[in-house]
Structure formats: structure tokens, C-alpha cells
């Protein structure tokens, strides 16, 4: 038990940035826009969050700045995918490259600096519950926000009018258009909001997880989040499960590395990526065998109002 | 006044040349603005890029050296993109090809240059091909998203490489650097004209021509193109989509693997940590900017070669991180996508007094 609780606690901690990224991507994809640029957006979020927190002294301003920069990147993606009806896969790859390059270029003078970052706050009463307390309620405020976000999105997609409209736009834009919903406006808004949330995930890396900035510090978490959206079958609660699962693998991997094992480090470092493939494979094989697959039907295809099919 | 978007019905070759040209120009311009706000002089940066990459014979030869793996990897991803299969994993396939080629040198060493090179070539093709075919098989059999699997396999391949160069294959006399011992002479490709341009150049010229002929004139090439445009119709016509996904991915990965082998055997002479500077990713831009045309890939690769050589100069002279080249790569992709819009549509300005007959988009 003494071994398990720290690993589970670390799983939540290292799963939180992936959770934000996954939730953001689900929001974007529900509207039918595929955004593969998460890795770049997270890196820009991590850099912006760090530099804003470093220069203002406020970690929360860092979070806000990261959100804005993420939304700005989402705007570029939305412009290309919605207004110019461009290829969403290529636009996403461009975002990933641009974000990777721009964050290293902008952040080159911040390497090696540290900030106090977000403090740990134990939630009174809840933190005293055995197992659950230390695992879920001994973190920072941004982690608690992510719990709230999961609950909010579960409610939003299933029980609110805007949530219903969003799903309509993603599943059947032609019908949504006929209902009087603006497909373009909806897709713009949720691409921006989604990318903003993804960037907050990146900011979590630099503000709460490492409390410093490093080039390429997200190390593929953005891509893992893209895969987790599929694992989560576009369901926010399952996204949390998936993110903590990955956080757990990462925490476990780090722990046995420091414990001094004979397994070489690179082999251990493969684990999260191999697991992503394994999870994707599992989900895809099971698809159509009773599992309800929640992919928005028009995901990845641009909407042409004047064309009839 | 209103702006109306209308589909362009005819496309001229002038447009096909002008649009990539303007896309590239716009990317360079906006990259300059970005550098300016970073406190870096764009003029100075661009001059450094051009003079280092094209200023003298050495610069040009270095640009060609960078273009060689880009052409090969570009052909690799072009092939899968033509079929609308997104192989984003050329980087990992390059790694696997390089690892397999190194394994041949270590375990099947022979003095006979032709046999040695042939062994390395075949091993690299097989390793890269299988690495890509795994993703292709998953995609064909269970519809597993190939973008994610090829990407994840990149990270796995990178860790494989690290395992070997940090571990069992590390050169004991390398003072701790993660690299294998240098290859013997029989495992090295010839170099030309006293430069670092190596035998991979031959493949970089043959492969585009070969695939141009295959895609344009053979039945199989025709099938691949049809499957990319309309998989359903291809199915009705009796074409085997699933078999071809695996096959195309295998060939795609094999070419990337060979690119990795050439890079080691022709240029670097040993396997080392991080030996491919993101060629697999740059290849995606190359293929897209060339609009999936095999011959155009040669020219675009040369352009990208300039950017890569220039990027290294910027790193040394202006102390910019090497990954800042990716800013330009991203910008180029954005503007190419924007350019696609003008290839497909025209904008017509409708004066305000005209009452629109039909509600427009």
C-alpha cells in the first residue's frame, strides 16, 4: 500500500496535463473539427504560462495567458479549416510544427529559470479520507479545476441546449444549418475554446508539474491526448480515466527507473507510447462489437453550405 | 458590397506554379515579421540562410546533402498520402532502417563492398517497411487511426535507437558519447566530387522518376490514385483496398528506411543519438508543397535543404534553437493550405446594389 498511494497520486499529477488536452480536443472534435496540433499548442501554452508567470509573479495570469495563446492558435486552425475549407490533418500538423518551433525560439532565454508555480493545497476534510484523500485531494488548484471541468462537460454535452447544438453541428452540419444554427460560428467558437483548454494543459506542465520551462518539454503528450480522445470515445469521464491511466504508466516508469532496475531506461520510456497503440488497437477491435462509438459523424470534413450531396 | 466564393472550374498550369510560389513568399514574409518581433533582424537571418546554403560550392553541396534524405522520405510519404493514408511516421521508419543497417555491419560484416551495401540496403528496407506496415495492417484490418500509430511508433523507434547507442552498441572508445563505432570502409557509400554528396543521390534521382512513371502509367499506380480519391468506387471496381493499404505502407516505410541507411552509410558513417534532424517530418511538408508530384518533390526538397542548412547557420551564428526552423515549416504549410483555397475557388465581388438571388455562404 505504501508503494501504491504515491504512484496513484503521481498518476493524477502527471495525468492532469493530458486530461486538459484531451478535454479540449473533445470539445473541438464534437463540432466536427479535427485538431492534430495539440503538441504545438501545449508547448506554446507551457511557454506562455511560464513566461507570463515569471514576469508577473502570478501563476494564474500565466494560466490565462496560456489560454489566450491557445485560443489564438485555434483561431488560425479554424480560419484554415472553416473559412478556407482546408485539409484539417495538414493544418493540424502545421500548428504542431509552428508551436514546437515558436516555443523553443521564444523560450530560449527562459531555459533554466524556475518559478514558485502553483502551490499544493490539501482540501480540508476530503484530504483526510484514506487513499482517495491523498490521491485526489492533495494537489494544486488547477488539478481541482480539471475535476470541475470533467463534470461540467459531462453535463454540458448531455443536458444543455448549446451542448446539443454543438453535437448537431459535429454529427450532421446540414441538419444543424437547417435548424438555423450557424455551423461556421459554432465551429469557430469551439475550436478556439478547445485549443485554449489544450494550452492550459501545457501550462500545467510548466506551472505545476516541473515549475520550469524546457524545450520540447511536453514530450509527445499532445499526441497521446489525440489518441486518448478515441480511447475516451468522446466522453469526458472516460477521458479522465484514460489520462490517469497514462499518468500512472508514466509515474510507474519513473519510479522503477529511480529504484534502480536492470531494465534499460529507453525500454521503459517506450511504455506510454506502446500503451497508446495498444489502447487504440483494443478500442478499434472492440468497435462495432457492442461498444457505442461516439465519433462525430462529420469529423474532419469541411462543410460547404452551397453544395448538395 | 459582398464577397462571393465560387468554385473554380478550370485550373491552368500557371496557377499551379504561381500558387506555391506565392505561398512560399508569404511564409518567408510572415516568418520575417515573426523574427522581427523576436528581436532578430529578419534581413540578417535570411541573408545568413542564403549565403550559407547557396553562397559557394560548399554551401550548395551541403544543401544537396540535406535534400537527398528529404527527397527519399518525401517520396515515401507522398506514396501513402496519394492513397489518403497518413503516414506521419517516416522519422521512425528512417530510424528503424538505420538501426537495421547498423545491425548488418555489426553481425554480418564482410569486406566485399557490394555484398555489404546490398545487405544493409535490404535490411533497412525490410525494417522500415515492416515498421510502417504494422500501422498499415492495423488500419486495414481494424481501422485503427494510422496517424496516431505511426506517430507513436516514431517515439518507440527513437527509444530503440537510444537503447542501442547508449547501451550494447556504444563505442567503448567514444568517451561516453552515444554512438556506435565508425563503419568500416566496405559499409560506406561512395562520395562524389570531393564533397559530402554521396551515393544516395542516385536513389534520390531514380526514385522520383520511378514513382512518377508508376503512378502515371501503370495500372497499379492508377488504382492507388483512385483509392485515394474515392475508396468506395475503387471497391466497386474490384480493387483490393485493404491489401493495398498494407502494401503501400510497406513500400513507403521501406523507402524511408533506405533513406536512413543512406544517411548513415553515405554521410555520418555511424549510428548516433538524434542523427536524423526531423527529416521524416520535413518530408510531410515537402510532399504537400509538391502537391504529391514525384518530380516536384526534387525541387521542393532542394528548397527545404536551403532552409535546413540555413537553420544550422542560424543556430551557430545567431544562437537560435535548431527547432526554430519548424516555425518556417509550419508557416509554409499554413500558406500552402491557404493557397489551395485560391486554386479551388475564386472570389467575386458583388456590388451592394445587386440584390442577391440566393443566400450565399
Amino acid at each position: 500500500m505504501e508503494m501504491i498511494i504515491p504512484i496513484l497520486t503521481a498518476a493524477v499529477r502527471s495525468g492532469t496535463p493530458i486530461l486538459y488536452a484531451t478535454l479540449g480536443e473533445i470539445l473541438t472534435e464534437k463540432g466536427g473539427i479535427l485538431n492534430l496540433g495539440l503538441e504545438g499548442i501545449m508547448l506554446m501554452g507551457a511557454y506562455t504560462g511560464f513566461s507570463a508567470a515569471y514576469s508577473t509573479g502570478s501563476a494564474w495570469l500565466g494560466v490565462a495567458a496560456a489560454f489566450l495563446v491557445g485560443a489564438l492558435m485555434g483561431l488560425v486552425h479554424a480560419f484554415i479549416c472553416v473559412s478556407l475549407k482546408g485539409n484539417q490533418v495538414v493544418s493540424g500538423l502545421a500548428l504542431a510544427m509552428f508551436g514546437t518551433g515558436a516555443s523553443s525560439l521564444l523560450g530560449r532565454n527562459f531555459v533554466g529559470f524556475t518559478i514558485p508555480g502553483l502551490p499544493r493545497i490539501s482540501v480540508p476534510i476530503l484530504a483526510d479520507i484514506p487513499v482517495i484523500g491523498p490521491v485526489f485531494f492533495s494537489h494544486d488548484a488547477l488539478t481541482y479545476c480539471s475535476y470541475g471541468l470533467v463534470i461540467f462537460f459531462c453535463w454540458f454535452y448531455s443536458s444543455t441546449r448549446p451542448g446539443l447544438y454543438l453535437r448537431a453541428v459535429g454529427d450532421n452540419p446540414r441538419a444543424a444549418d437547417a435548424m438555423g444554427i450557424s455551423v461556421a460560428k459554432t465551429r469557430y467558437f469551439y475550436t478556439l475554446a478547445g485549443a485554449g483548454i489544450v494550452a492550459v494543459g501545457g501550462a500545467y506542465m510548466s506551472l505545476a508539474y516541473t515549475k520550469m520551462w524546457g524545450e520540447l518539454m511536453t514530450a509527445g503528450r499532445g499526441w497521446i491526448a489525440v489518441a486518448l480522445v478515441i480511447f475516451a470515445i468522446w466522453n469526458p469521464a472516460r477521458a479522465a480515466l484514460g489520462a490517469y491511466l497514462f499518468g500512472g504508466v508514466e509515474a510507474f516508469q519513473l519510479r522503477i527507473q529511480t529504484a534502480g532496475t536492470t531494465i534499460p531506461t529507453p525500454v521503459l520510456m517506450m511504455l506510454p507510447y506502446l500503451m497508446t497503440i495498444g489502447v487504440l488497437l483494443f478500442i478499434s477491435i472492440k468497435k462495432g462489437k457492442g461498444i457505442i462509438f461516439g465519433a462525430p459523424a462529420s469529423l474532419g470534413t469541411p462543410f460547404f453550405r452551397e453544395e448538395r450531396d | 458590397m459582398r464577397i462571393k466564393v465560387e468554385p473554380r472550374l478550370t485550373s491552368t498550369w500557371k496557377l499551379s506554379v504561381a500558387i506555391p510560389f506565392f505561398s512560399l513568399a508569404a511564409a518567408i514574409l510572415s516568418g520575417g515579421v515573426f523574427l522581427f518581433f523576436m528581436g532578430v533582424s529578419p534581413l540578417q537571418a535570411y541573408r545568413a540562410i542564403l549565403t550559407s546554403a547557396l553562397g559557394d560550392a560548399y554551401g550548395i553541396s551541403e544543401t544537396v546533402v540535406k535534400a537527398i534524405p528529404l527527397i527519399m522520405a518525401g517520396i515515401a510519404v507522398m506514396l501513402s498520402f496519394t492513397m489518403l493514408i497518413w503516414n506521419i511516421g517516416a522519422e521512425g521508419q528512417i530510424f528503424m532502417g538505420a538501426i537495421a543497417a547498423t545491425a548488418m555491419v555489426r553481425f554480418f560484416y564482410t569486406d566485399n563492398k557490394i555484398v555489404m551495401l546490398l545487405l544493409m540496403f535490404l535490411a533497412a528496407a525490410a525494417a522500415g517497411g515492416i515498421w510502417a506496415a504494422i500501422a498499415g495492417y492495423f488500419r486495414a484490418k481494424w481501422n485503427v487511426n494510422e496517424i496516431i500509430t505511426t506517430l507513436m511508433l516514431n517515439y518507440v523507434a527513437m527509444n530503440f535507437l537510444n537503447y542501442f547507442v547508449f547501451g550494447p552498441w556504444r563505442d567503448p572508445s567514444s568517451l561516453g558519447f552515444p554512438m556506435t563505432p565508425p563503419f568500416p570502409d566496405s559499409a560506406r557509400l561512395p562520395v562524389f566530387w570531393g564533397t559530402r554528396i554521396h551515393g544516395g543521390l542516385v536513389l534520390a534521382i531514380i526514385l522520383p522518376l520511378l514513382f512518377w512513371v508508376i503512378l502515371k502509367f501503370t495500372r497499379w499506380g492508377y488504382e492507388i490514385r483512385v483509392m485515394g480519391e474515392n475508396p468506395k468506387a475503387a471497391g466497386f471496381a474490384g480493387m483490393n483496398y485493404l491489401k493495398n493499404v498494407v502494401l503501400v505502407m510497406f513500400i513507403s516505410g521501406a523507402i524511408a528506411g533506405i533513406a536512413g541507411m543512406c544517411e548513415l552509410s553515405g554521410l555520418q558513417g555511424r549510428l548516433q543519438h538524434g542523427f536524423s534532424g526531423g527529416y521524416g517530418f520535413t518530408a510531410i511538408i515537402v510532399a504537400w508543397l509538391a502537391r504529391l508530384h514525384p518530380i516536384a518533390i526534387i525541387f521542393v526538397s532542394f528548397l527545404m535543404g536551403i532552409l535546413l542548412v540555413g537553420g544550422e547557420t542560424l543556430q551557430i551564428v545567431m544562437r537560435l534553437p535548431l527547432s526554430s526552423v519548424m516555425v518556417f515549416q509550419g508557416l509554409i504549410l499554413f500558406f500552402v493550405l491557404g493557397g489551395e483555397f485560391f486554386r479551388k475557388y475564386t472570389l467575386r465581388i458583388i456590388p451592394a446594389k445587386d440584390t442577391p438571388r440566393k443566400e450565399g455562404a
Side-chain angles (χ1 to χ4, degrees):
Chain A
M1 236 12 209
E2 295 111 60
M3 177 79 177
I4 301 281
I5 289 177
I7 286 189
L8 290 180
T9 310
V12 171
R13 229 172 114 66
S14 55
T16 300
I18 305 178
L19 176 57
Y20 272 107
T22 311
L23 289 176
E25 179 67 6
I26 291 176
L27 189 63
T28 301
E29 289 194 12
K30 283 271 185 189
I33 296 286
L34 176 72
N35 184 353
L36 289 180
L38 303 199
E39 184 75 4
I41 297 171
M42 281 183 87
L43 279 167
M44 281 300 280
Y47 158 72
T48 316
F50 183 86
S51 65
Y54 185 84
S55 40
T56 63
S58 157
W60 288 105
L61 279 178
V63 174
F67 183 88
L68 283 179
V69 165
L72 207 64
M73 291 176 80
L75 179 66
V76 174
H77 190 62
F79 178 70
I80 289 175
C81 299
V82 179
S83 297
L84 298 186
K85 299 167 173 61
N87 188 306
Q88 300 182 9
V89 172
V90 180
S91 175
L93 292 173
L95 267 190
M97 287 181 186
F98 179 83
T100 306
S103 62
S104 343
L105 192 57
L106 290 159
R108 69 193 194 282
N109 297 329
F110 281 101
V111 177
F113 292 13
T114 53
I115 45 165
L118 289 164
R120 282 193 183 218
I121 306 162
S122 286
V123 181
I125 306 165
L126 290 175
D128 297 330
I129 306 172
V131 187
I132 292 177
V135 171
F136 287 105
F137 298 105
S138 63
H139 297 283
D140 50 88
L142 208 52
T143 306
Y144 303 139
C145 288
S146 71
Y147 304 159
L149 216 54
V150 170
I151 296 165
F152 168 77
F153 277 131
C154 283
W155 169 75
F156 177 78
Y157 294 134
S158 64
S159 319
T160 71
R161 194 173 287 266
L164 179 72
Y165 286 171
L166 172 62
R167 284 184 3 221
V169 165
D171 278 329
N172 193 338
R174 198 161 302 288
D177 184 55
M179 276 167 71
I181 306 167
S182 168
V183 174
K185 271 185 204 156
T186 309
R187 287 188 165 174
Y188 257 97
F189 180 77
Y190 290 105
T191 304
L192 261 71
I197 294 168
V198 172
V200 170
Y204 186 90
M205 292 289 303
S206 60
L207 293 176
Y209 195 66
T210 61
K211 299 185 164 71
M212 52 177 254
W213 157 253
E215 201 181 340
L216 309 177
M217 67 185 294
T218 52
R221 284 179 180 80
W223 299 112
I224 288 177
V226 176
L228 271 188
V229 172
I230 302 169
F231 169 77
I233 50 172
W234 290 265
N235 175 334
R238 277 184 65 122
L241 185 77
Y244 296 148
L245 202 63
F246 275 82
V249 171
E250 207 184 283
F252 173 75
Q253 180 256 109
L254 281 174
R255 204 153 285 258
I256 50 177
Q257 244 182 71
T258 47
T261 156
T262 48
I263 308 170
T265 310
V267 175
L268 289 174
M269 304 247 298
M270 284 177 199
L271 285 179
Y273 308 113
L274 284 175
M275 192 172 125
T276 309
I277 296 174
V279 155
L280 214 55
L281 194 60
F282 176 74
I283 273 293
S284 301
I285 292 173
K286 266 187 83 176
K287 181 165 63 177
K289 288 182 188 159
I291 206 169
I292 300 158
F293 205 60
S298 78
L299 184 61
T301 45
F303 174 60
F304 299 90
R305 195 174 185 194
E306 290 189 341
E307 280 177 18
R308 295 279 178 262
D309 46 20
Chain B
M1 193 184 91
R2 254 164 24 98
I3 296 172
K4 192 163 157 49
V5 178
E6 287 179 342
R8 201 187 279 277
L9 299 174
T10 53
S11 180
T12 61
W13 69 269
K14 273 184 197 159
L15 207 64
S16 303
V17 175
I19 286 176
F21 178 79
F22 279 112
S23 303
L24 215 57
I28 291 169
L29 200 69
S30 56
V33 173
F34 186 82
L35 284 176
F36 178 77
F37 282 107
M38 291 292 317
V40 178
S41 158
L43 279 180
Q44 206 184 335
Y46 286 139
R47 192 177 306 139
I49 289 176
L50 283 181
T51 49
S52 64
L54 297 174
D56 51 21
Y58 175 76
I60 293 171
S61 75
E62 281 302 289
T63 305
V64 173
V65 166
K66 296 272 184 219
I68 292 170
L70 283 181
I71 293 171
M72 284 194 249
I75 293 289
V77 297
M78 174 279 296
L79 189 63
S80 70
F81 286 4
T82 304
M83 208 181 157
L84 275 194
I85 298 295
W86 298 96
N87 177 11
I88 314 293
E91 187 80 357
Q93 292 142 22
I94 289 173
F95 287 152
M96 293 312 284
I99 293 168
T102 311
M104 287 296 126
V105 178
R106 287 188 77 88
F107 301 117
F108 297 94
Y109 170 68
T110 155
D111 265 342
N112 186 323
K113 197 174 184 111
I114 294 170
V115 174
M116 185 76 257
L117 287 174
L118 199 65
L119 274 179
M120 291 166 73
F121 181 89
L122 292 175
I130 290 168
W131 206 241
I134 295 171
Y137 183 76
F138 287 175
R139 164 67 204 258
K141 180 100 179 163
W142 296 294
N143 208 17
V144 181
N145 187 321
E146 77 280 7
I147 300 174
I148 312 283
T149 39
T150 51
L151 259 163
M152 292 295 121
L153 287 172
N154 281 344
Y155 287 98
V156 176
M158 190 180 73
N159 280 304
F160 257 124
L161 178 84
N162 287 347
Y163 167 72
F164 287 119
V165 296
F166 281 98
W169 291 1
R170 169 144 62 178
D171 182 1
S173 60
S174 73
L175 303 170
F177 285 109
M179 48 172 66
T180 65
F183 286 177
D185 195 48
S186 67
R188 298 298 304 266
L189 284 170
V191 291
F192 303 135
W193 312 299
T195 64
R196 301 208 302 161
I197 299 175
H198 52 81
L201 181 67
V202 179
L203 282 173
I205 292 165
I206 292 175
L207 282 174
L209 291 172
L210 180 69
F211 278 95
W212 180 68
V213 171
I214 288 176
L215 286 174
K216 202 166 164 79
F217 299 109
T218 69
R219 188 188 155 79
W220 183 64
Y222 172 73
E223 286 187 5
I224 297 295
R225 284 188 288 128
V226 171
M227 285 179 208
E229 275 154 31
N230 195 340
K232 229 179 230 166
F236 290 140
M239 300 172 191
N240 191 335
Y241 184 73
L242 302 185
K243 196 190 92 188
N244 271 304
V245 170
V246 181
L247 183 65
V248 160
M249 280 298 271
F250 181 85
I251 297 174
S252 176
I255 298 171
I258 292 165
M261 173 251 169
C262 290
E263 188 70 4
L264 289 199
S265 171
L267 187 67
Q268 311 205 352
R270 65 193 341 162
L271 186 66
Q272 54 187 324
H273 172 66
F275 79 93
S276 158
Y279 288 128
F281 295 105
T282 308
I284 298 165
I285 308 171
V286 166
W288 203 257
L289 195 59
R291 301 202 71 233
L292 308 183
H293 192 292
I295 307 296
I297 283 177
I298 298 178
F299 298 102
V300 177
S301 296
F302 191 76
L303 283 179
M304 284 296 150
I306 297 174
L307 189 60
L308 293 184
V309 171
E312 283 175 3
T313 309
L314 289 187
Q315 187 189 15
I316 298 160
V317 180
M318 305 178 86
R319 309 210 163 193
L320 301 179
L322 196 56
S323 44
S324 52
V325 168
M326 291 178 97
V327 171
F328 289 97
Q329 298 185 334
L331 286 174
I332 292 170
L333 270 185
F334 283 136
F335 284 104
V336 170
L337 281 169
E340 287 291 298
F341 177 78
F342 292 102
R343 190 197 305 280
K344 284 190 208 141
Y345 302 95
T346 54
L347 296 179
R348 199 155 63 93
I349 294 163
I350 301 168
K353 60 185 174 190
D354 256 19
T355 37
R357 276 158 292 168
K358 193 174 75 172
E359 192 53 41

